[in-house]
Amino acid sequence: MIDWLTGLDNEITLALNAMHTPIADSIMLFLSAKTVWIPLYVLLAVLMFIPKWYGKKSSAFRYGSHIPLWLTGLIGILAVLLCFGLTEQITNIVKNIVERPRPGNTPILEGILHLPEGAGGGYGFFSAHASNTFGMAMITALIFRRRWYTAGIMIWASMISFSRIYLAKHFTTDVLCGALAGILIGLAVHFLYRWMLSLASRRFT
């Protein structure tokens, strides 16, 4: 069973990696680069301090009238930073436990894969890009509670995660498991976020 799943994972990863073209390479390298998304992260931090960006179902809308705006925004930023820290650390722990090579370092796939970013070092299970981006997407989607934002940020996380398979830096299961981990961590952090807002609300009323 494990051999069959591994073989299927190899085939899916090879099929997605084989979609390469020069233009697609440029797009996927752009999506996969971490520094290009810094302006987005700064924008999200700024939006934490703008009341109109919170949907009516958001915890910030519910408790916001009882809490100073600076504190509402600060709690939101701290929640995002905590989510990122947890996804990063948990990913590293799992990678060192599982010790699964990246596709480019897997003997059966050597010489077959298209590697525009190189084979990469370390282990690949599960994907830090996937866990980080889906963690970010989930926690901010739950903070803002706006459908159009949720759809957009989830598409963004999916595109970045797909780029990791296309670039052969991760197997498909590395990315899927990383995405699931990010979503679960985002959900857990949001419970803490709501509790902090509730606590602050009681403090200022």
Side-chain angles (χ1 to χ4, degrees):
M1 184 65 176
I2 294 178
D3 290 339
W4 179 82
L5 289 173
T6 301
L8 179 62
D9 198 11
N10 289 343
E11 290 179 10
I12 294 174
T13 302
L14 279 169
L16 296 177
N17 176 253
M19 298 168 60
H20 64 85
T21 65
I23 294 177
D25 284 359
S26 299
I27 294 173
M28 294 303 164
L29 286 168
F30 174 83
L31 289 171
S32 199
K34 294 182 178 181
T35 55
V36 300
W37 299 112
I38 291 176
L40 173 63
Y41 304 145
V42 173
L43 176 61
L44 290 176
V46 172
L47 293 178
M48 295 287 179
F49 298 92
I50 300 178
K52 291 184 178 180
W53 275 85
Y54 294 105
K56 292 184 178 180
K57 293 183 179 180
S58 69
S59 297
F61 184 87
R62 177 181 178 184
Y63 298 110
S65 60
H66 306 293
I67 308 172
L69 181 57
W70 66 266
L71 184 56
T72 301
L74 179 60
I75 292 174
I77 291 174
L78 290 175
V80 172
L81 291 175
L82 175 61
C83 186
F84 177 82
L86 287 174
T87 56
E88 188 73 13
Q89 292 303 313
I90 291 174
T91 298
N92 289 333
I93 291 171
V94 173
K95 281 183 176 180
N96 290 327
I97 293 174
V98 177
E99 297 185 343
R100 184 186 193 184
R102 295 178 184 273
N105 297 323
T106 302
I108 195 173
L109 299 178
E110 285 183 346
I112 303 176
L113 293 167
H114 176 61
L115 303 170
E117 201 179 51
Y123 302 115
F125 185 88
F126 43 77
S127 167
H129 273 76
S131 63
N132 290 343
T133 54
F134 271 95
M136 167 77 75
M138 179 56 68
I139 186 61
T140 56
L142 291 172
I143 287 175
F144 292 129
R145 289 281 185 176
R146 290 192 175 275
R147 290 182 180 178
W148 59 267
Y149 173 81
T150 299
I153 201 69
M154 287 298 177
I155 291 172
W156 168 79
S158 299
M159 291 174 63
I160 291 177
S161 297
F162 175 78
S163 75
R164 304 307 287 167
I165 306 171
Y166 174 95
L167 296 171
K169 298 304 288 285
H170 288 286
F171 288 102
T172 305
T173 50
D174 297 343
V175 167
L176 292 177
C177 291
L180 178 60
I183 289 171
L184 293 176
I185 292 170
L187 287 168
V189 172
H190 184 252
F191 280 112
L192 179 60
Y193 166 79
R194 287 195 307 176
W195 176 78
M196 291 176 67
L197 284 179
S198 176
L199 188 64
S201 176
R202 291 196 295 270
R203 176 63 184 259
F204 284 92
T205 53

